[in-house]
Every structure is written in structure tokens, then in C-alpha cells.
Amino acid sequence: MSAEELRPILEVENLSKHFSSKRRGRTTVVKAVDGVSFGIWKGETFGLVGESGCGKTTLGRTIIRLYAPTSGTIRFSGREVSGKMTGALRKYLTDNIAMIFQDPIASLNPRMTVQEIIGEGLKIRGVTDESERRRRVEYMLERVGLQAEHATRYPHEFSGGQRQRIGIARALVVEPSMIIADEPVSALDVSVQAQVINLLNSLKREFHLTVMFIAHNLSVVKYVSDRVGVMYYGKLVELAESDEIYHHPLHPYTKALLSAVPQPDPHSEKSRRRIFYEGPQAVPEGALAMREVIPGHSVYCTEAGLAAYRRERDA
Amino acid sequence: MRVDDLSVSFRAYAGLVKAVRGVSFHLDKGETLAIVGESGSGKSVTMKAILGILPKNGRIDSGSIIYDGQDLAKFTEQEFYQIRGKKISLVFQDPLSALNPIMIVGKQITEALTLSLGMSKERAKVRALELMNAVGIPDCETRFHQYPFQFSGGMRQRVVIAIALASDPEILICDEPTTALDVTIQARILELIKEIKAQRGLSIIFITHDLGVVANMADRIAVMYAGKIVEMGTSDDIFYRPVHPYTWALLSSIPDLDTKEALVSIPGTTPDMIHLPPGDAFSPRNKYAVALDFEREPPMFRVSDTHCAATWLLHPNAPKVEMPELLANRIRRNAEERIADER
């Protein structure tokens, strides 16, 4: 095993992203991401769940530096990418990490053909030969389950699921080593969600991708992910392998998320008790941290909380 | 309410779109009927026809919508004023576009009361605060004077529900009320709709693309595909004894928390509603299709008193086909868990 494989491909350490706004001379600070640390291994799918406004999208966008981090470090393949933005760093990031967006309508330019949308990244990377670009776009279209003829059409001619496939083709055509998929299926019908999830899974294997999968639905995340991180109000509150998190959720917010997933079984649904999480109890500043309950399973808690979680995990 | 053989079509540039093709169902008092289908299956168009809000190029070709002894399909716009928003109310999918962004939410609720019920402003305000309280909006007095952008998605949907309830309707039509919301918020809104239904004895038509959502809501479920109801039954019938291949496919595409097997997706896309394939519209995507499916449309076959489905597989001469193993396993596992729970 080489040294490269002993370290995660993406390392996020104590990352924070705060937004401040001034109104009538008063400054308010929103801590969208607040001291988050985790790593993603090469070839792994890392799921990130949480509800709207918990900072999961901000985290994804800070990693590919659409936002500048307030503090903390991000390393990709050992190289720090959280510093000052330069042309070389931008190129390094966009060559290696690509993004798939949530809204398949808003994220595709309605005035560009599919060929132009997917080929744009190649053009920027200096693939000047028109026929070479066409060949690679058509190859990519076929890989995502569309047809070469679709290249000359416009986004409005496609259904939601097909548009999301175009978004995937656009991300993959530049041969990135990692993909950040931000709620790629939330806007789709359940039957179409399954198609897109299966497609992402098979492409991941085919292109040896590392994937960060952001979503609000734990059942979808569990399906695709090797490990899952749960976010709540800017903090990572639980991190574990996806089976572990499903069978032994410890943090109350994770339990609430799990209990909210609708299941196609009327009897158990009617008897099921929903758990609602009302926010954390007040504890002294600094007492909370990510603590490992069992190897590979950490929860954001106090020392006393850790002991309680350990007992709960063993029970 | 009883809908009989309803057909709706749209004149479009490319031809006549047959969006709803002969839909029949009934809604009993105090019951929740869920209409489930993919985008473009005609479920929203059916709802629009019931409320008389079809777009200009849409037309009811045939059929009747009998409510309270009257046929809504033949109503004029004037006559609809007596029904829409009063006896039958609607909860929209997207709470942000359903609300007026430059009007305080209190005004939007009292507007429904003063305009349609002729209440005085003072009484309307008292009633509006009651409604906001009933749908679980905390701190009503302050919230009353706020604008929609100051509300979160879940709270906005509660406002929309409050407006729908303002006139004390008998029927509430919910068109994908939770699709735009997070799972946790979705769970809360579903609980709220259930509570309100029980308190007020409402009848609900619940439209959604997600079968999972209706499992704890619906008394009966109608599954729609390409403008037709393909299977209808009690929620037990649909979840535990589904017979139509399309229902099988829909159920199999729901992520299962217990296992990690590959999701079964439905191949292809919904058919072109202008040039429908001959025979059963689902047959090109149906791996269980028999030759007859490509020639003639299947009639409704009765499975039991409460359960019927339109598939040739139910014909006595059809080959015996079992539901997909994955789905059968899941249903069996759920049943085992239930028995274990009961012990």
C-alpha cells in the first residue's frame, strides 16, 4: 500500500464557513458550517444528510471553493486547497472535483445545446478539436443512458430524469477523480430517482470515482453510501458506516431523521412513533466534540454523553 | 363525491393531448383517497377538472363529477364560486408560489374569510388566529403580521393549509403537499393533515408520486398511469397484495432501509400522450406484458370487493405471473415483523 492510500483523498479539518450580514449597523453572523472535520477515502461514497439550512450544501460548495472558508483546512490528495485562490488552484480543483446540482432545470443553460453544455468543460480544458469534443460528448451521453442524437437538442426537450443525466455527463466528461452530488435526486419522481441512483452507482464503479452525496433523505443516502455523516445546524453530529448508522443511530437528530423516512407498509406506518428533535440542550461552550463511541462511529457529544452513548450502543 | 368515466384533453400545438382517459372513482365521507402516479400520469389534471380550474385549452370531453347531487363537469364559472374554496379546498404543492409574497400572511387567511364567507374584519382576524393555532403555527399574533418570506417551508405549508381550512370545507384536495419539503418536515405536515382530518371529519384526496408517503395516510389508493387508473384498492390491497405490474414497479423503486439490494427502476419514460401506443399504455415498459397488451387495452378486472386492476394478467387465460421476488420478500419480511411485534 502506497503512502497515498493511507490518507483519505479528501481531508476536511475543523472547517468553518460563516456568512455575515449587516443591517442597520448591526452585524449578524450565520455559522453555516462550524468546525466540521471528516475524511473521504478514495473510491468511497460519503453521504451527507441533514435538513434544509443545516449547511450541507455550503460544505460541498466550500470544498470546491465556490466559497472561501472562514477557517480550517481542506486537503485534496494531500495538497492544501483551502488557501488563497489562484488560477492554478482553481484549475487543480476543477480538474479533479466536479459537481452535480440539485435542480436539473436551473443548472442547465436553456440556450445551449446538450453538445455545448457537456462540451464546455472540454473546451475550457483546451480540447480545441471540434470533432474530438463531439466524440467525447457522444461517448459520455451513451454512458449515462442517453443517445448520441440527443447532442443537438436543448434542455427543455428532456424530462427531469434525462436532464439530471445530462448534468451527470457534464460532470464526468472532464474525467474528475471526485464528484460532489448535491441533492441529485430530490427534484425527481420516486421511480426516476431509482434510475438516477443506479446510474450513479454504476458510473462510480466504471470510472473509479470518489463521491460525496448530499441529500436530506436518509433512505436514499443509505442506499448509495459507504459512510454517512449527519449534519445539524452547521455541525457534524454523527458519523459512521451506513449500516451502523441505520441499525444503531445514537444522536437524537439521527433518530428523528430515520423515523421520518416513509415506508411502504401501512401497518407499521400507522403504529410507528415519529421522533421529533427539538434541538440540543444547553451545555458549556467547548464541552462538545466529536467523540468515538466505537471505532468508526463518532457522535458530537460531551464526555458524559459519550458514556451514555457507549452504554446504549452495547445494549 | 363520485367521478365517472372522466376524460380530459388539451388542444396543444402538436395535437390533442388525452391527459385523462376514462377515470372513475368515488370518495366517501371522512375518507382519504390517495391518487398516486408519476409526473404526467394525469393525477393533477383530474384534480383540476374537479375544481374547474383547467387551463383554457383543456376540456372535459366526457364523464361526470357528481358532488352533492350536482354534476361539477357541467358547472359554469359562476356556479363554481359556490363550491371552490368553500366546499372543496385545495392545498398546493409549492407553498412559496401559492402565497402572495407582498401581503402579510394574516391578511391572506382573513381574505378567504371576508371574501367568501362575508365575515367582518374583526371576526375574521379572531378566526384566522384560531386557524393558525390549529395548524400549529406558534406565536400567532406576531406571525399574523409577517410576510411569507419570513416563514420556513414547513410553516408556509401550514399557512396554506390554514387558508384551505378557512371556509370549513368538506373536501380537501392535497396536491403533492410535501414534495417540496424535507423528510422531517414532511412527517410533521402529514401528521398535521391526519389530525385535522380526524378533528373535522374531512374527506381528503391526496395526490402524490410517492407511494411511501401515503402508507400511513390513505384509506384507499388509486394508482394512475397515462391518464388511467390501473389499480385501485384499500391501502392494504395495494401495499400487501398488489396485482398490477406498474404498482409492482412503483413499490420496488422505493428505497428500502432494511436491505441494500439495487433499486429496481422502471425502464423508459412515460408515453407520449398525443400518440399513445396501441393497447395497454404501460406495455412498452412492462416486462410482464403479454402479446395482447400490445393490441387491446385491458378492462378493469375485479380482484375482491375493494380491489380492482386493469391488466390482462388477471384474465383467466393469462399466464400465471408472480410479483417480483424483491417485492415479495419485502412484503413477507414486513408481515413477519408485524407478527413479531404483535407478540
Side-chain angles (χ1 to χ4, degrees):
Chain A
M1 198 182 268
S2 70
E4 198 184 44
E5 282 163 14
L6 288 170
R7 289 176 69 178
I9 186 165
L10 179 82
E11 295 162 274
V12 174
E13 248 177 64
N14 222 359
L15 186 71
S16 296
K17 172 66 198 169
H18 298 175
F19 294 100
S20 55
S21 63
K22 268 194 191 134
R23 191 187 288 173
R24 293 188 199 123
R26 255 190 315 180
T27 312
T28 41
V29 176
V30 176
K31 297 180 178 178
V33 176
D34 196 20
V36 167
S37 306
F38 62 92
I40 301 180
W41 297 92
K42 193 167 168 47
E44 178 184 53
T45 302
F46 181 82
L48 194 63
V49 262
E51 60 195 288
S52 333
C54 75
K56 55 191 194 301
T57 297
T58 307
L59 178 57
R61 292 182 163 209
T62 311
I63 290 171
I64 59 163
R65 290 301 304 275
L66 288 172
Y67 299 138
T70 308
S71 65
T73 54
I74 308 163
R75 269 190 295 277
F76 187 81
S77 288
R79 174 172 168 177
E80 184 176 338
V81 294
S82 47
K84 190 174 180 304
M85 189 46 109
T86 59
L89 179 58
R90 167 64 59 214
K91 182 163 179 355
Y92 176 73
L93 276 171
T94 48
D95 280 351
N96 281 294
I97 310 179
M99 204 153 175
I100 300 168
F101 296 94
Q102 168 170 13
D103 188 336
I105 300 169
S107 62
L108 302 178
N109 187 335
R111 296 181 179 218
M112 284 166 87
T113 62
V114 169
Q115 165 72 38
E116 287 165 338
I117 290 171
I118 301 176
E120 197 177 23
L122 292 173
K123 213 167 168 180
I124 293 166
R125 275 167 191 76
V127 184
T128 44
D129 182 13
E130 177 90 41
S131 63
E132 164 72 5
R133 277 210 305 271
R134 170 144 305 148
R135 196 187 59 73
R136 282 173 68 176
V137 167
E138 285 174 0
Y139 169 78
M140 219 48 242
L141 280 173
E142 275 160 22
R143 295 258 64 75
V144 299
L146 295 171
Q147 284 141 30
E149 299 91 84
H150 289 145
T152 54
R153 297 201 195 161
Y154 288 90
H156 73 90
E157 298 174 64
F158 295 91
S159 68
Q162 286 174 321
R163 277 182 233 194
Q164 206 51 289
R165 288 169 194 264
I166 296 171
I168 295 172
R170 171 177 61 183
L172 291 181
V173 78
V174 299
E175 296 168 352
S177 48
M178 182 172 163
I179 292 263
I180 297 179
D182 186 2
E183 303 252 15
V185 298
S186 323
L188 306 175
D189 270 7
V190 176
S191 54
V192 184
Q193 279 183 10
Q195 286 179 12
V196 174
I197 289 172
N198 287 341
L199 173 69
L200 269 176
N201 269 342
S202 70
L203 289 175
K204 181 199 148 193
R205 278 192 296 275
E206 190 179 334
F207 293 93
H208 307 289
L209 291 166
T210 306
V211 181
M212 177 163 159
F213 191 99
I214 304 174
H216 67 254
N217 188 336
L218 199 47
S219 69
V220 173
V221 167
K222 186 194 163 270
Y223 239 93
V224 296
S225 310
D226 302 305
R227 280 188 310 141
V228 176
V230 181
M231 265 185 97
Y232 184 76
Y233 276 86
K235 303 267 190 201
L236 202 60
V237 295
E238 189 160 1
L239 180 71
E241 288 191 357
S242 67
D243 281 334
E244 169 76 13
I245 221 158
Y246 170 63
H247 291 291
H248 306 284
L250 292 175
H251 195 278
Y253 181 64
T254 313
K255 290 179 183 168
L257 270 183
L258 266 174
S259 87
V261 176
Q263 286 292 289
D265 180 4
H267 281 279
S268 70
E269 275 292 310
K270 275 168 188 155
S271 58
R272 189 154 120 199
R273 272 197 32 239
R274 307 249 180 242
I275 303 164
F276 296 123
Y277 182 51
E278 305 296 349
Q281 288 147 353
V283 288
E285 190 75 22
L288 286 164
M290 275 310 254
R291 294 191 159 88
E292 208 165 48
V293 178
I294 58 161
H297 187 169
S298 350
V299 183
Y300 188 69
C301 60
T302 58
E303 276 296 345
L306 178 68
Y309 285 139
R310 284 214 168 116
R311 279 195 301 277
E312 187 182 338
R313 176 65 185 80
D314 291 337
Chain B
M1 176 182 288
R2 171 174 286 281
V3 173
D4 256 319
D5 201 28
L6 181 73
S7 293
V8 180
S9 62
F10 292 97
R11 281 186 312 279
Y13 181 68
L16 200 66
V17 182
K18 299 178 201 74
V20 177
R21 305 180 296 142
V23 161
S24 306
F25 61 84
H26 66 276
L27 176 71
D28 292 330
K29 207 168 164 49
E31 173 185 62
T32 303
L33 172 73
I35 302 180
V36 183
E38 290 173 279
S39 323
S41 61
K43 53 194 196 303
S44 288
V45 176
T46 308
M47 174 275 300
K48 285 184 174 155
I50 292 174
L51 282 168
I53 49 172
L54 285 173
K56 279 212 172 66
N57 61 343
R59 210 183 56 172
I60 297 181
D61 294 327
S62 63
S64 59
I65 306 164
I66 307 292
Y67 169 70
D68 214 7
Q70 294 164 299
D71 187 358
L72 300 189
K74 297 194 172 60
F75 262 33
T76 60
E77 184 60 20
Q78 278 299 320
E79 291 171 299
F80 259 118
Y81 284 155
Q82 300 308 315
I83 300 284
R84 194 192 303 138
K86 290 179 183 163
K87 297 285 175 57
I88 306 176
S89 284
L90 177 63
V91 175
F92 293 92
Q93 171 171 4
D94 181 356
L96 190 55
S97 47
L99 295 170
N100 184 342
I102 52 166
M103 193 192 266
I104 58 167
V105 301
K107 180 94 202 317
Q108 303 192 42
I109 303 174
T110 53
E111 194 177 43
L113 295 162
T114 50
L115 287 182
S116 66
L117 300 183
M119 260 185 206
S120 71
K121 269 191 179 164
E122 294 71 33
R123 275 194 52 210
K125 182 171 180 187
V126 175
R127 178 95 177 93
L129 289 175
E130 277 170 24
L131 283 166
M132 286 171 80
N133 202 19
V135 296
I137 299 175
D139 200 9
C140 304
E141 283 281 354
T142 325
R143 288 302 216 172
F144 187 88
H145 296 285
Q146 287 183 337
Y147 291 92
F149 78 87
Q150 293 167 303
F151 284 65
S152 65
M155 282 297 153
R156 273 182 214 140
Q157 195 58 284
R158 285 172 198 263
V159 173
V160 175
I161 293 172
I163 296 173
L165 291 176
S167 56
D168 229 341
E170 292 180 353
I171 299 178
L172 191 65
I173 301 181
C174 303
D175 186 9
E176 308 243 8
T178 60
T179 310
L181 305 173
D182 275 0
V183 270
T184 40
I185 312 295
Q186 166 176 292
R188 287 182 192 226
I189 295 288
L190 292 178
E191 289 294 319
L192 173 70
I193 295 176
K194 261 173 83 178
E195 252 171 53
I196 290 170
K197 182 201 153 196
Q199 277 165 13
R200 297 169 181 249
L202 283 173
S203 309
I204 293 181
I205 299 179
F206 195 98
I207 296 169
T208 178
H209 70 262
D210 189 348
L211 261 174
V213 169
V214 299
N216 84 5
M217 296 279 304
D219 300 309
R220 285 188 308 126
I221 297 170
V223 181
M224 269 187 93
Y225 185 78
K228 287 201 151 188
I229 291 182
V230 295
E231 182 163 6
M232 182 151 62
T234 62
S235 75
D236 282 14
D237 288 336
I238 300 292
F239 283 106
Y240 300 134
R241 297 177 287 278
V243 291
H244 197 284
Y246 181 63
T247 316
W248 294 345
L250 271 187
L251 282 168
S252 316
S253 67
I254 301 173
D256 185 348
L257 279 172
D258 295 323
T259 65
K260 233 181 169 167
E261 292 158 80
L263 288 175
V264 185
S265 61
I266 309 175
T269 50
T270 44
D272 181 346
M273 298 298 283
I274 296 173
H275 310 286
L276 278 167
D280 182 0
F282 185 54
S283 51
R285 301 169 76 187
N286 181 1
K287 67 175 173 182
Y288 303 100
V290 293
L292 192 56
D293 272 321
F294 295 95
E295 289 159 22
R296 273 173 60 192
E297 269 189 282
M300 268 292 179
F301 287 96
R302 239 190 86 209
V303 182
S304 71
D305 286 343
T306 54
H307 191 183
C308 58
T311 165
W312 284 117
L313 292 179
L314 292 173
H315 192 272
N317 298 341
K320 197 90 189 98
V321 175
E322 293 296 327
M323 71 175 84
E325 208 182 308
L326 182 89
L327 183 60
N329 285 344
R330 189 190 295 187
I331 292 171
R332 194 178 322 119
R333 205 173 50 235
N334 285 339
E336 280 162 8
E337 277 169 24
R338 193 164 59 248
I339 293 163
D341 283 349
E342 276 160 15
R343 277 198 205 116

